[in-house]
Amino acid sequence: LRAEKADPLVLGSVGAPMAGSVIEVSAKPGFYAKAGTPLLVLSAMKMETAVSAPISGIIKHVGIVKGDAVEAGDLLVFMEEGDEPANPLKSLDPGDE
């Protein structure tokens, strides 16, 4: 079974920057994330790499769970560009807590 690949031409298509294991997932479908907000953490060769939102928008799809092994370019999260919703309960931004 081959994983879906991220489309580098689509801003909201978040791909794995390297092969590794998913050790943390904070992205949740339906939630808003500002550009730069950490969505997940990958571990490769004992180094942890945070993967952040490339755009501000709504998380539409999360294709991984903690413990998944991913290859470089695998689609991890798909976002749709947009403004922050009026409901702050659906935001990943730590400043909204």
Side-chain angles (χ1 to χ4, degrees):
L1 187 68
R2 295 186 55 85
E4 186 177 354
K5 295 295 182 183
D7 184 345
L9 301 178
V10 178
L11 288 178
S13 182
V14 182
M18 67 188 84
S21 298
V22 179
I23 59 171
E24 187 180 313
V25 180
S26 53
K28 296 178 182 85
F31 277 61
Y32 174 83
K34 282 188 179 141
T37 302
L39 301 175
L40 60 113
V41 179
L42 290 178
S43 175
M45 298 181 290
K46 300 195 194 271
M47 285 178 43
E48 293 182 5
T49 303
V51 178
S52 299
I55 60 172
S56 294
I58 305 295
I59 297 165
K60 292 294 185 180
H61 171 75
V62 179
I64 41 82
V65 294
K66 186 175 176 177
D68 279 358
V70 297
E71 296 294 324
D74 283 359
L75 180 65
L76 305 175
V77 176
F78 186 80
M79 298 179 65
E80 197 169 87
E81 198 164 15
D83 295 327
E84 187 164 10
N87 178 359
L89 297 175
K90 294 271 223 170
S91 176
L92 291 181
D93 183 16
D96 290 343
E97 312 253 334

